[in-house]
């Protein structure tokens, strides 16, 4: 599978270009997932639908709206929605399936680094 994250989107020149480039590179059996951090990014991604969208750091209301957007686009069952970021064992039941939960590794010491590329 290919996971398209924020730096990939920045380098490609946008979500649509990132999805198109991934599709051009990948074989027909390779799934493509795009990380989005807002409903505007999701709306753009759904015009060139990936196999899955990773809904990053969205609250329950935004997650519900995002799942509704996928359904309204006629993509329910064809475009998986995955919640990630801000998910805890206490909130998981109210969110979605599947989810990404970091609680399993929280006891390990971490170093949180970020490398964000900004294309002007």
């Amino acid at each position: 599978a290919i996971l398209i994250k924020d730096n990939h989107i920045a380098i490609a020149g946008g979500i649509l270009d990132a999805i198109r480039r991934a599709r051009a590179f990948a074989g027909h059996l390779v799934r493509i997932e795009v990380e989005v951090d807002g409903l505007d990014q999701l709306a753009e991604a759904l015009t060139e639908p990936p196999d899955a969208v990773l809904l990053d750091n969205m609250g329950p209301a935004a997650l519900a709206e995002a799942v509704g957007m996928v359904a309204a686009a006629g993509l329910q069952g064809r475009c998986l929605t995955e919640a990630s970021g801000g998910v805890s064992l206490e909130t998981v039941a109210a969110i979605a399936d599947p989810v990404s939960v970091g609680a399993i590794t929280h006891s390990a010491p971490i170093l949180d680094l970020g490398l964000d590329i900004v294309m002007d």
Side-chain angles (χ1 to χ4, degrees), residues 14 23 30 45 50 52 72 88 90 96 105 109 114 120:
R23 276 220 179 90
V30 177
S88 70
E90 291 77 31
T105 59
D120 290 326

Side-chain angles (χ1 to χ4, degrees), residues 4-26:
I4 300 171
K5 295 185 64 71
D6 56 352
N7 284 337
H8 304 123
I9 292 167
I11 290 170
I15 290 176
L16 296 180
D17 286 332
I19 294 170
R20 289 176 185 140
R21 290 169 93 176
R23 276 220 179 90
F25 174 79

